[in-house]
Amino acid sequence: MFGERRYHKCEAGIHAFNDASLALHRKLGFVEEGRLRDHEFFAGRRHALVVMGMTAPEFAERHPCERL
């Protein structure tokens, strides 16, 4: 994504109750950028959405690559 397509930033929206997905994204180097409270309604409740992101420089720092 960053090398071949030259994107500058990757974003992901993750439900706040999904602890496993949040932990995985943090382990990959994503940073929490914000929370959209009561953003979605399903299963009879409102749920927050956590917005996580990683920039190309952050990715390159964690995963060195000659092409970046």
Side-chain angles (χ1 to χ4, degrees):
M1 175 178 178
F2 294 116
E4 185 175 316
R5 294 195 176 245
R6 304 284 186 216
Y7 280 96
H8 177 70
K9 186 174 183 184
C10 177
E11 293 180 336
I14 304 161
H15 290 112
F17 61 80
N18 192 341
D19 294 328
S21 186
L22 290 168
L24 171 67
H25 281 79
R26 286 186 181 107
K27 186 174 181 178
L28 292 172
F30 282 76
V31 175
E32 185 174 326
E33 298 189 340
R35 288 179 180 251
L36 304 174
R37 299 178 300 142
D38 294 340
H39 186 68
E40 297 185 10
F41 183 84
F42 63 90
R45 296 183 50 206
R46 297 199 179 277
H47 298 275
L49 189 70
V50 179
V51 179
M52 300 192 81
M54 180 188 311
T55 63
E58 291 168 341
F59 178 83
E61 185 177 309
R62 290 179 66 97
H63 310 280
C65 178
E66 293 177 21
R67 296 178 68 174
L68 292 178

Short mmCIF file of all heavy atoms in Angstrom, two decimals:
data_model
loop_
_atom_site.label_atom_id
_atom_site.label_comp_id
_atom_site.label_asym_id
_atom_site.label_seq_id
_atom_site.Cartn_x
_atom_site.Cartn_y
_atom_site.Cartn_z
N MET A 1 0.81 -1.19 0.00
CA MET A 1 0.00 0.00 0.00
C MET A 1 0.86 1.26 0.00
O MET A 1 0.63 2.16 -0.79
CB MET A 1 -0.92 -0.03 1.23
CG MET A 1 -1.73 1.19 1.42
SD MET A 1 -2.80 1.02 2.84
CE MET A 1 -3.55 2.60 2.83
N PHE A 2 1.82 1.31 0.91
CA PHE A 2 2.64 2.52 1.01
C PHE A 2 3.70 2.56 -0.09
O PHE A 2 3.97 3.62 -0.65
CB PHE A 2 3.31 2.60 2.37
CG PHE A 2 2.33 2.78 3.51
CD1 PHE A 2 2.19 1.82 4.49
CD2 PHE A 2 1.54 3.92 3.60
CE1 PHE A 2 1.30 1.98 5.53
CE2 PHE A 2 0.64 4.09 4.64
CZ PHE A 2 0.52 3.11 5.61
N GLY A 3 4.33 1.42 -0.38
CA GLY A 3 5.41 1.40 -1.36
C GLY A 3 4.91 1.43 -2.79
O GLY A 3 5.27 2.30 -3.57
N GLU A 4 4.05 0.48 -3.14
CA GLU A 4 3.62 0.35 -4.52
C GLU A 4 2.63 1.42 -4.94
O GLU A 4 2.74 2.00 -6.01
CB GLU A 4 3.00 -1.03 -4.72
CG GLU A 4 2.64 -1.31 -6.17
CD GLU A 4 2.14 -2.72 -6.35
OE1 GLU A 4 2.75 -3.65 -5.79
OE2 GLU A 4 1.13 -2.88 -7.06
N ARG A 5 1.66 1.71 -4.11
CA ARG A 5 0.62 2.68 -4.47
C ARG A 5 0.88 4.09 -3.96
O ARG A 5 0.13 5.01 -4.25
CB ARG A 5 -0.73 2.19 -4.00
CG ARG A 5 -1.16 0.93 -4.71
CD ARG A 5 -2.62 0.70 -4.50
NE ARG A 5 -3.05 -0.44 -5.26
CZ ARG A 5 -3.91 -0.37 -6.25
NH1 ARG A 5 -4.42 0.78 -6.60
NH2 ARG A 5 -4.28 -1.46 -6.88
N ARG A 6 1.91 4.24 -3.14
CA ARG A 6 2.33 5.55 -2.62
C ARG A 6 1.28 6.24 -1.76
O ARG A 6 1.18 7.46 -1.73
CB ARG A 6 2.74 6.49 -3.77
CG ARG A 6 3.81 5.94 -4.65
CD ARG A 6 5.14 6.03 -3.97
NE ARG A 6 6.19 5.62 -4.91
CZ ARG A 6 7.25 4.96 -4.56
NH1 ARG A 6 7.43 4.65 -3.30
NH2 ARG A 6 8.14 4.60 -5.44
N TYR A 7 0.48 5.44 -1.05
CA TYR A 7 -0.45 6.04 -0.10
C TYR A 7 0.34 6.67 1.03
O TYR A 7 1.42 6.21 1.38
CB TYR A 7 -1.38 4.97 0.49
CG TYR A 7 -2.53 4.60 -0.42
CD1 TYR A 7 -2.45 3.49 -1.24
CD2 TYR A 7 -3.69 5.35 -0.42
CE1 TYR A 7 -3.50 3.14 -2.07
CE2 TYR A 7 -4.75 5.01 -1.24
CZ TYR A 7 -4.65 3.90 -2.06
OH TYR A 7 -5.69 3.56 -2.87
N HIS A 8 -0.22 7.72 1.63
CA HIS A 8 0.44 8.36 2.76
C HIS A 8 -0.09 7.86 4.10
O HIS A 8 0.62 7.86 5.09
CB HIS A 8 0.28 9.88 2.70
CG HIS A 8 0.89 10.57 3.88
ND1 HIS A 8 2.25 10.65 4.08
CD2 HIS A 8 0.32 11.16 4.96
CE1 HIS A 8 2.50 11.27 5.22
NE2 HIS A 8 1.34 11.60 5.77
N LYS A 9 -1.36 7.40 4.11
CA LYS A 9 -1.95 7.02 5.38
C LYS A 9 -2.95 5.88 5.20
O LYS A 9 -3.68 5.84 4.20
CB LYS A 9 -2.68 8.22 5.99
CG LYS A 9 -3.21 7.98 7.37
CD LYS A 9 -3.76 9.28 7.92
CE LYS A 9 -4.24 9.07 9.33
NZ LYS A 9 -4.86 10.29 9.86
N CYS A 10 -2.98 5.00 6.18
CA CYS A 10 -3.95 3.91 6.23
C CYS A 10 -4.81 4.12 7.46
O CYS A 10 -4.29 4.42 8.55
CB CYS A 10 -3.22 2.56 6.31
SG CYS A 10 -4.33 1.15 6.45
N GLU A 11 -6.12 3.99 7.31
CA GLU A 11 -7.03 4.15 8.44
C GLU A 11 -7.90 2.91 8.58
O GLU A 11 -8.21 2.24 7.59
CB GLU A 11 -7.95 5.36 8.25
CG GLU A 11 -7.22 6.67 8.29
CD GLU A 11 -8.16 7.84 8.10
OE1 GLU A 11 -9.24 7.68 7.51
OE2 GLU A 11 -7.80 8.93 8.54
N ALA A 12 -8.31 2.63 9.82
CA ALA A 12 -9.21 1.52 10.09
C ALA A 12 -10.23 1.96 11.12
O ALA A 12 -9.90 2.67 12.07
CB ALA A 12 -8.42 0.32 10.62
N GLY A 13 -11.46 1.54 10.93
CA GLY A 13 -12.52 1.78 11.91
C GLY A 13 -12.84 0.47 12.60
O GLY A 13 -13.17 -0.52 11.93
N ILE A 14 -12.75 0.43 13.92
CA ILE A 14 -12.91 -0.79 14.68
C ILE A 14 -13.91 -0.55 15.80
O ILE A 14 -13.82 0.47 16.51
CB ILE A 14 -11.56 -1.24 15.28
CG1 ILE A 14 -10.54 -1.39 14.17
CG2 ILE A 14 -11.71 -2.52 16.08
CD1 ILE A 14 -9.11 -1.38 14.66
N HIS A 15 -14.85 -1.47 15.98
CA HIS A 15 -15.80 -1.33 17.08
C HIS A 15 -15.05 -1.36 18.41
O HIS A 15 -14.17 -2.18 18.61
CB HIS A 15 -16.85 -2.44 17.04
CG HIS A 15 -17.78 -2.30 15.89
ND1 HIS A 15 -17.80 -3.17 14.85
CD2 HIS A 15 -18.70 -1.34 15.62
CE1 HIS A 15 -18.71 -2.79 13.98
NE2 HIS A 15 -19.26 -1.68 14.42
N ALA A 16 -15.43 -0.47 19.30
CA ALA A 16 -14.72 -0.31 20.58
C ALA A 16 -14.77 -1.57 21.44
O ALA A 16 -13.88 -1.79 22.25
CB ALA A 16 -15.30 0.87 21.35
N PHE A 17 -15.77 -2.41 21.25
CA PHE A 17 -15.86 -3.64 22.05
C PHE A 17 -14.97 -4.76 21.50
O PHE A 17 -14.81 -5.78 22.16
CB PHE A 17 -17.31 -4.13 22.14
CG PHE A 17 -17.93 -4.48 20.82
CD1 PHE A 17 -17.66 -5.70 20.20
CD2 PHE A 17 -18.78 -3.59 20.18
CE1 PHE A 17 -18.23 -6.02 18.99
CE2 PHE A 17 -19.35 -3.90 18.96
CZ PHE A 17 -19.07 -5.12 18.36
N ASN A 18 -14.38 -4.57 20.34
CA ASN A 18 -13.57 -5.62 19.71
C ASN A 18 -12.12 -5.52 20.18
O ASN A 18 -11.23 -5.04 19.47
CB ASN A 18 -13.67 -5.51 18.19
CG ASN A 18 -13.11 -6.71 17.48
OD1 ASN A 18 -12.33 -7.47 18.05
ND2 ASN A 18 -13.48 -6.87 16.22
N ASP A 19 -11.89 -5.98 21.40
CA ASP A 19 -10.56 -5.87 22.02
C ASP A 19 -9.47 -6.59 21.22
O ASP A 19 -8.35 -6.09 21.13
CB ASP A 19 -10.60 -6.41 23.45
CG ASP A 19 -11.46 -5.57 24.36
OD1 ASP A 19 -11.54 -4.35 24.13
OD2 ASP A 19 -12.06 -6.13 25.29
N ALA A 20 -9.79 -7.73 20.65
CA ALA A 20 -8.78 -8.49 19.89
C ALA A 20 -8.32 -7.71 18.67
O ALA A 20 -7.12 -7.63 18.37
CB ALA A 20 -9.34 -9.85 19.49
N SER A 21 -9.25 -7.11 17.95
CA SER A 21 -8.88 -6.34 16.76
C SER A 21 -8.11 -5.07 17.13
O SER A 21 -7.14 -4.71 16.45
CB SER A 21 -10.13 -5.98 15.96
OG SER A 21 -9.78 -5.35 14.74
N LEU A 22 -8.52 -4.43 18.21
CA LEU A 22 -7.80 -3.24 18.67
C LEU A 22 -6.36 -3.60 19.05
O LEU A 22 -5.42 -2.89 18.68
CB LEU A 22 -8.51 -2.60 19.87
CG LEU A 22 -9.84 -1.92 19.55
CD1 LEU A 22 -10.59 -1.60 20.84
CD2 LEU A 22 -9.63 -0.68 18.71
N ALA A 23 -6.19 -4.71 19.75
CA ALA A 23 -4.84 -5.15 20.15
C ALA A 23 -4.00 -5.49 18.93
O ALA A 23 -2.81 -5.14 18.89
CB ALA A 23 -4.93 -6.35 21.09
N LEU A 24 -4.59 -6.15 17.96
CA LEU A 24 -3.85 -6.50 16.73
C LEU A 24 -3.38 -5.24 16.01
O LEU A 24 -2.21 -5.15 15.62
CB LEU A 24 -4.72 -7.33 15.80
CG LEU A 24 -4.13 -7.57 14.41
CD1 LEU A 24 -2.89 -8.45 14.50
CD2 LEU A 24 -5.16 -8.18 13.49
N HIS A 25 -4.26 -4.28 15.84
CA HIS A 25 -3.89 -3.05 15.13
C HIS A 25 -2.81 -2.28 15.89
O HIS A 25 -1.89 -1.73 15.27
CB HIS A 25 -5.12 -2.19 14.87
CG HIS A 25 -5.92 -2.67 13.71
ND1 HIS A 25 -6.78 -3.74 13.81
CD2 HIS A 25 -5.97 -2.26 12.43
CE1 HIS A 25 -7.33 -3.95 12.63
NE2 HIS A 25 -6.86 -3.06 11.77
N ARG A 26 -2.90 -2.24 17.21
CA ARG A 26 -1.85 -1.58 17.99
C ARG A 26 -0.51 -2.31 17.81
O ARG A 26 0.53 -1.67 17.65
CB ARG A 26 -2.23 -1.53 19.46
CG ARG A 26 -3.30 -0.52 19.75
CD ARG A 26 -3.58 -0.36 21.24
NE ARG A 26 -4.65 0.60 21.44
CZ ARG A 26 -5.89 0.29 21.82
NH1 ARG A 26 -6.20 -0.96 22.09
NH2 ARG A 26 -6.79 1.23 21.96
N LYS A 27 -0.55 -3.63 17.80
CA LYS A 27 0.67 -4.42 17.62
C LYS A 27 1.28 -4.17 16.25
O LYS A 27 2.50 -4.16 16.09
CB LYS A 27 0.36 -5.90 17.81
CG LYS A 27 1.57 -6.79 17.78
CD LYS A 27 1.23 -8.22 18.11
CE LYS A 27 2.49 -9.07 18.11
NZ LYS A 27 2.18 -10.47 18.48
N LEU A 28 0.44 -3.94 15.24
CA LEU A 28 0.92 -3.66 13.89
C LEU A 28 1.48 -2.25 13.75
O LEU A 28 2.13 -1.93 12.77
CB LEU A 28 -0.20 -3.87 12.87
CG LEU A 28 -0.65 -5.31 12.68
CD1 LEU A 28 -1.89 -5.35 11.79
CD2 LEU A 28 0.47 -6.15 12.10
N GLY A 29 1.19 -1.38 14.75
CA GLY A 29 1.72 -0.02 14.72
C GLY A 29 0.69 1.06 14.49
O GLY A 29 1.04 2.24 14.37
N PHE A 30 -0.59 0.69 14.44
CA PHE A 30 -1.62 1.70 14.28
C PHE A 30 -1.76 2.50 15.58
O PHE A 30 -1.54 1.99 16.67
CB PHE A 30 -2.97 1.04 13.95
CG PHE A 30 -3.11 0.61 12.53
CD1 PHE A 30 -2.48 -0.52 12.07
CD2 PHE A 30 -3.88 1.35 11.65
CE1 PHE A 30 -2.61 -0.93 10.76
CE2 PHE A 30 -4.02 0.96 10.33
CZ PHE A 30 -3.37 -0.18 9.88
N VAL A 31 -2.17 3.75 15.45
CA VAL A 31 -2.34 4.66 16.58
C VAL A 31 -3.81 5.06 16.64
O VAL A 31 -4.43 5.36 15.62
CB VAL A 31 -1.46 5.93 16.38
CG1 VAL A 31 -1.71 6.93 17.49
CG2 VAL A 31 0.00 5.55 16.30
N GLU A 32 -4.36 5.08 17.86
CA GLU A 32 -5.74 5.52 18.01
C GLU A 32 -5.81 7.02 17.74
O GLU A 32 -5.12 7.81 18.37
CB GLU A 32 -6.26 5.20 19.41
CG GLU A 32 -7.72 5.54 19.58
CD GLU A 32 -8.30 5.10 20.91
OE1 GLU A 32 -7.88 4.04 21.43
OE2 GLU A 32 -9.18 5.83 21.41
N GLU A 33 -6.68 7.39 16.81
CA GLU A 33 -6.81 8.79 16.43
C GLU A 33 -8.09 9.43 16.97
O GLU A 33 -8.20 10.64 16.98
CB GLU A 33 -6.75 8.93 14.91
CG GLU A 33 -5.41 8.47 14.38
CD GLU A 33 -5.22 8.78 12.92
OE1 GLU A 33 -6.22 9.00 12.21
OE2 GLU A 33 -4.06 8.80 12.49
N GLY A 34 -9.02 8.59 17.38
CA GLY A 34 -10.25 9.14 17.93
C GLY A 34 -11.31 8.08 18.08
O GLY A 34 -11.15 6.95 17.64
N ARG A 35 -12.39 8.48 18.74
CA ARG A 35 -13.54 7.60 18.95
C ARG A 35 -14.80 8.33 18.52
O ARG A 35 -15.01 9.48 18.91
CB ARG A 35 -13.67 7.20 20.41
CG ARG A 35 -12.60 6.23 20.85
CD ARG A 35 -12.76 5.88 22.32
NE ARG A 35 -11.71 4.95 22.69
CZ ARG A 35 -11.93 3.67 22.94
NH1 ARG A 35 -13.14 3.17 22.90
NH2 ARG A 35 -10.92 2.88 23.24
N LEU A 36 -15.61 7.65 17.75
CA LEU A 36 -16.91 8.18 17.37
C LEU A 36 -17.93 7.52 18.29
O LEU A 36 -18.29 6.36 18.11
CB LEU A 36 -17.20 7.86 15.90
CG LEU A 36 -16.15 8.36 14.90
CD1 LEU A 36 -16.47 7.87 13.50
CD2 LEU A 36 -16.08 9.87 14.94
N ARG A 37 -18.35 8.25 19.30
CA ARG A 37 -19.24 7.70 20.31
C ARG A 37 -20.64 7.48 19.76
O ARG A 37 -21.14 8.30 18.99
CB ARG A 37 -19.29 8.62 21.53
CG ARG A 37 -17.92 8.77 22.18
CD ARG A 37 -17.94 9.72 23.36
NE ARG A 37 -18.38 11.05 22.94
CZ ARG A 37 -19.16 11.83 23.68
NH1 ARG A 37 -19.57 11.45 24.86
NH2 ARG A 37 -19.52 13.01 23.23
N ASP A 38 -21.25 6.37 20.16
CA ASP A 38 -22.61 6.02 19.72
C ASP A 38 -22.76 6.13 18.21
O ASP A 38 -23.78 6.61 17.70
CB ASP A 38 -23.64 6.91 20.41
CG ASP A 38 -23.71 6.68 21.91
OD1 ASP A 38 -23.26 5.61 22.37
OD2 ASP A 38 -24.21 7.56 22.62
N HIS A 39 -21.76 5.71 17.50
CA HIS A 39 -21.71 5.89 16.04
C HIS A 39 -22.61 4.94 15.28
O HIS A 39 -23.16 5.29 14.25
CB HIS A 39 -20.26 5.75 15.57
CG HIS A 39 -20.05 6.07 14.14
ND1 HIS A 39 -20.20 7.34 13.65
CD2 HIS A 39 -19.71 5.30 13.09
CE1 HIS A 39 -19.95 7.34 12.35
NE2 HIS A 39 -19.66 6.11 11.99
N GLU A 40 -22.74 3.70 15.76
CA GLU A 40 -23.52 2.71 15.04
C GLU A 40 -24.53 2.06 15.98
O GLU A 40 -24.28 1.94 17.18
CB GLU A 40 -22.61 1.64 14.44
CG GLU A 40 -21.66 2.21 13.42
CD GLU A 40 -20.84 1.15 12.73
OE1 GLU A 40 -21.11 -0.05 12.90
OE2 GLU A 40 -19.90 1.54 12.03
N PHE A 41 -25.65 1.66 15.40
CA PHE A 41 -26.69 1.01 16.18
C PHE A 41 -26.92 -0.38 15.62
O PHE A 41 -27.25 -0.54 14.44
CB PHE A 41 -27.99 1.82 16.13
CG PHE A 41 -29.08 1.23 16.97
CD1 PHE A 41 -29.16 1.52 18.32
CD2 PHE A 41 -30.03 0.39 16.41
CE1 PHE A 41 -30.16 0.97 19.11
CE2 PHE A 41 -31.03 -0.15 17.20
CZ PHE A 41 -31.10 0.14 18.55
N PHE A 42 -26.69 -1.39 16.44
CA PHE A 42 -27.03 -2.76 16.07
C PHE A 42 -27.15 -3.60 17.32
O PHE A 42 -26.67 -3.21 18.39
CB PHE A 42 -26.03 -3.36 15.07
CG PHE A 42 -24.63 -3.51 15.60
CD1 PHE A 42 -24.23 -4.67 16.25
CD2 PHE A 42 -23.72 -2.48 15.42
CE1 PHE A 42 -22.94 -4.79 16.72
CE2 PHE A 42 -22.43 -2.61 15.90
CZ PHE A 42 -22.03 -3.76 16.55
N ALA A 43 -27.84 -4.71 17.21
CA ALA A 43 -28.09 -5.62 18.33
C ALA A 43 -28.74 -4.88 19.50
O ALA A 43 -28.47 -5.16 20.66
CB ALA A 43 -26.80 -6.30 18.78
N GLY A 44 -29.58 -3.88 19.17
CA GLY A 44 -30.33 -3.18 20.19
C GLY A 44 -29.57 -2.15 21.00
O GLY A 44 -30.09 -1.62 21.98
N ARG A 45 -28.33 -1.85 20.59
CA ARG A 45 -27.50 -0.89 21.34
C ARG A 45 -26.74 0.02 20.39
O ARG A 45 -26.53 -0.31 19.24
CB ARG A 45 -26.45 -1.63 22.19
CG ARG A 45 -27.01 -2.49 23.26
CD ARG A 45 -25.91 -3.13 24.09
NE ARG A 45 -24.94 -2.14 24.52
CZ ARG A 45 -23.67 -2.43 24.81
NH1 ARG A 45 -23.22 -3.65 24.70
NH2 ARG A 45 -22.86 -1.48 25.20
N ARG A 46 -26.28 1.12 20.93
CA ARG A 46 -25.38 2.01 20.19
C ARG A 46 -23.95 1.63 20.55
O ARG A 46 -23.66 1.28 21.69
CB ARG A 46 -25.64 3.46 20.54
CG ARG A 46 -27.04 3.89 20.15
CD ARG A 46 -27.17 5.38 20.05
NE ARG A 46 -28.49 5.76 19.66
CZ ARG A 46 -28.92 5.79 18.39
NH1 ARG A 46 -28.11 5.47 17.43
NH2 ARG A 46 -30.16 6.14 18.10
N HIS A 47 -23.06 1.71 19.56
CA HIS A 47 -21.68 1.30 19.77
C HIS A 47 -20.72 2.37 19.24
O HIS A 47 -20.98 3.01 18.23
CB HIS A 47 -21.39 -0.02 19.02
CG HIS A 47 -22.23 -1.15 19.50
ND1 HIS A 47 -21.88 -1.93 20.58
CD2 HIS A 47 -23.41 -1.63 19.06
CE1 HIS A 47 -22.80 -2.85 20.77
NE2 HIS A 47 -23.75 -2.69 19.87
N ALA A 48 -19.61 2.51 19.95
CA ALA A 48 -18.56 3.46 19.54
C ALA A 48 -17.67 2.81 18.48
O ALA A 48 -17.50 1.59 18.44
CB ALA A 48 -17.72 3.87 20.73
N LEU A 49 -17.12 3.64 17.63
CA LEU A 49 -16.18 3.20 16.61
C LEU A 49 -14.83 3.88 16.90
O LEU A 49 -14.76 5.09 17.07
CB LEU A 49 -16.66 3.62 15.22
CG LEU A 49 -15.90 3.05 14.05
CD1 LEU A 49 -16.15 1.55 13.92
CD2 LEU A 49 -16.31 3.76 12.77
N VAL A 50 -13.78 3.08 16.99
CA VAL A 50 -12.44 3.60 17.23
C VAL A 50 -11.76 3.78 15.86
O VAL A 50 -11.71 2.84 15.06
CB VAL A 50 -11.60 2.64 18.11
CG1 VAL A 50 -10.20 3.19 18.33
CG2 VAL A 50 -12.30 2.42 19.44
N VAL A 51 -11.28 4.98 15.60
CA VAL A 51 -10.56 5.26 14.36
C VAL A 51 -9.08 5.14 14.64
O VAL A 51 -8.55 5.82 15.53
CB VAL A 51 -10.91 6.66 13.81
CG1 VAL A 51 -10.13 6.95 12.54
CG2 VAL A 51 -12.40 6.79 13.59
N MET A 52 -8.41 4.25 13.89
CA MET A 52 -6.97 4.05 14.07
C MET A 52 -6.29 4.33 12.74
O MET A 52 -6.87 4.13 11.67
CB MET A 52 -6.69 2.62 14.53
CG MET A 52 -7.37 2.30 15.85
SD MET A 52 -6.80 0.78 16.59
CE MET A 52 -5.29 1.36 17.35
N GLY A 53 -5.05 4.82 12.82
CA GLY A 53 -4.34 5.15 11.60
C GLY A 53 -2.85 4.90 11.71
O GLY A 53 -2.29 4.78 12.80
N MET A 54 -2.24 4.81 10.53
CA MET A 54 -0.78 4.68 10.44
C MET A 54 -0.34 5.42 9.18
O MET A 54 -0.93 5.26 8.11
CB MET A 54 -0.36 3.21 10.33
CG MET A 54 1.15 3.04 10.23
SD MET A 54 1.70 1.36 9.85
CE MET A 54 0.81 0.38 11.00
N THR A 55 0.68 6.26 9.32
CA THR A 55 1.21 6.99 8.17
C THR A 55 2.36 6.20 7.54
O THR A 55 2.92 5.29 8.16
CB THR A 55 1.72 8.37 8.58
OG1 THR A 55 2.81 8.21 9.48
CG2 THR A 55 0.61 9.22 9.20
N ALA A 56 2.71 6.58 6.33
CA ALA A 56 3.83 5.92 5.64
C ALA A 56 5.13 6.03 6.43
O ALA A 56 5.84 5.02 6.56
CB ALA A 56 3.98 6.49 4.23
N PRO A 57 5.48 7.19 6.99
CA PRO A 57 6.71 7.25 7.79
C PRO A 57 6.66 6.35 9.03
O PRO A 57 7.67 5.74 9.39
CB PRO A 57 6.81 8.73 8.19
CG PRO A 57 6.06 9.46 7.14
CD PRO A 57 4.93 8.54 6.76
N GLU A 58 5.50 6.24 9.67
CA GLU A 58 5.38 5.34 10.82
C GLU A 58 5.56 3.89 10.40
O GLU A 58 6.22 3.12 11.09
CB GLU A 58 4.01 5.52 11.49
CG GLU A 58 3.85 6.86 12.19
CD GLU A 58 2.43 7.16 12.61
OE1 GLU A 58 1.48 6.55 12.06
OE2 GLU A 58 2.26 8.03 13.48
N PHE A 59 4.98 3.53 9.27
CA PHE A 59 5.14 2.18 8.75
C PHE A 59 6.61 1.89 8.42
O PHE A 59 7.15 0.85 8.76
CB PHE A 59 4.27 1.97 7.51
CG PHE A 59 4.41 0.61 6.89
CD1 PHE A 59 3.68 -0.45 7.38
CD2 PHE A 59 5.28 0.40 5.84
CE1 PHE A 59 3.81 -1.72 6.82
CE2 PHE A 59 5.43 -0.85 5.28
CZ PHE A 59 4.69 -1.92 5.77
N ALA A 60 7.25 2.84 7.74
CA ALA A 60 8.66 2.66 7.34
C ALA A 60 9.57 2.51 8.55
O ALA A 60 10.56 1.77 8.50
CB ALA A 60 9.10 3.83 6.48
N GLU A 61 9.26 3.19 9.63
CA GLU A 61 10.05 3.10 10.85
C GLU A 61 9.96 1.70 11.47
O GLU A 61 10.96 1.17 11.94
CB GLU A 61 9.58 4.15 11.86
CG GLU A 61 10.42 4.22 13.12
CD GLU A 61 9.94 5.31 14.04
OE1 GLU A 61 9.77 6.46 13.57
OE2 GLU A 61 9.71 5.01 15.22
N ARG A 62 8.77 1.12 11.41
CA ARG A 62 8.56 -0.21 12.00
C ARG A 62 8.94 -1.34 11.04
O ARG A 62 9.30 -2.43 11.48
CB ARG A 62 7.10 -0.38 12.41
CG ARG A 62 6.72 0.47 13.58
CD ARG A 62 5.26 0.28 13.92
NE ARG A 62 4.98 -1.07 14.38
CZ ARG A 62 4.90 -1.44 15.65
NH1 ARG A 62 5.10 -0.55 16.59
NH2 ARG A 62 4.63 -2.67 15.98
N HIS A 63 8.81 -1.09 9.75
CA HIS A 63 9.03 -2.13 8.74
C HIS A 63 9.93 -1.56 7.63
O HIS A 63 9.43 -1.16 6.59
CB HIS A 63 7.71 -2.59 8.14
CG HIS A 63 6.68 -2.94 9.16
ND1 HIS A 63 6.68 -4.14 9.84
CD2 HIS A 63 5.62 -2.24 9.65
CE1 HIS A 63 5.66 -4.17 10.67
NE2 HIS A 63 5.01 -3.03 10.59
N PRO A 64 11.23 -1.49 7.87
CA PRO A 64 12.13 -0.89 6.88
C PRO A 64 12.01 -1.56 5.50
O PRO A 64 11.92 -2.77 5.40
CB PRO A 64 13.51 -1.12 7.47
CG PRO A 64 13.29 -1.32 8.92
CD PRO A 64 11.95 -1.98 9.04
N CYS A 65 12.00 -0.73 4.49
CA CYS A 65 11.90 -1.21 3.11
C CYS A 65 12.62 -0.20 2.21
O CYS A 65 12.43 0.99 2.33
CB CYS A 65 10.44 -1.33 2.71
SG CYS A 65 10.17 -1.85 1.03
N GLU A 66 13.41 -0.69 1.28
CA GLU A 66 14.19 0.20 0.40
C GLU A 66 13.30 1.07 -0.48
O GLU A 66 13.68 2.15 -0.85
CB GLU A 66 15.09 -0.64 -0.48
CG GLU A 66 16.17 -1.36 0.28
CD GLU A 66 17.01 -2.24 -0.63
OE1 GLU A 66 17.02 -2.00 -1.85
OE2 GLU A 66 17.65 -3.17 -0.12
N ARG A 67 12.13 0.58 -0.86
CA ARG A 67 11.28 1.29 -1.82
C ARG A 67 10.52 2.44 -1.22
O ARG A 67 9.93 3.23 -1.93
CB ARG A 67 10.32 0.30 -2.47
CG ARG A 67 11.06 -0.75 -3.26
CD ARG A 67 10.15 -1.72 -3.85
NE ARG A 67 9.36 -1.05 -4.86
CZ ARG A 67 8.52 -1.67 -5.66
NH1 ARG A 67 8.34 -2.95 -5.56
NH2 ARG A 67 7.83 -1.00 -6.57
N LEU A 68 10.46 2.56 0.10
CA LEU A 68 9.71 3.68 0.70
C LEU A 68 10.60 4.85 0.74
O LEU A 68 11.06 5.58 1.19
CB LEU A 68 9.19 3.30 2.08
CG LEU A 68 8.11 2.26 2.11
CD1 LEU A 68 7.70 1.93 3.55
CD2 LEU A 68 6.87 2.72 1.37
#
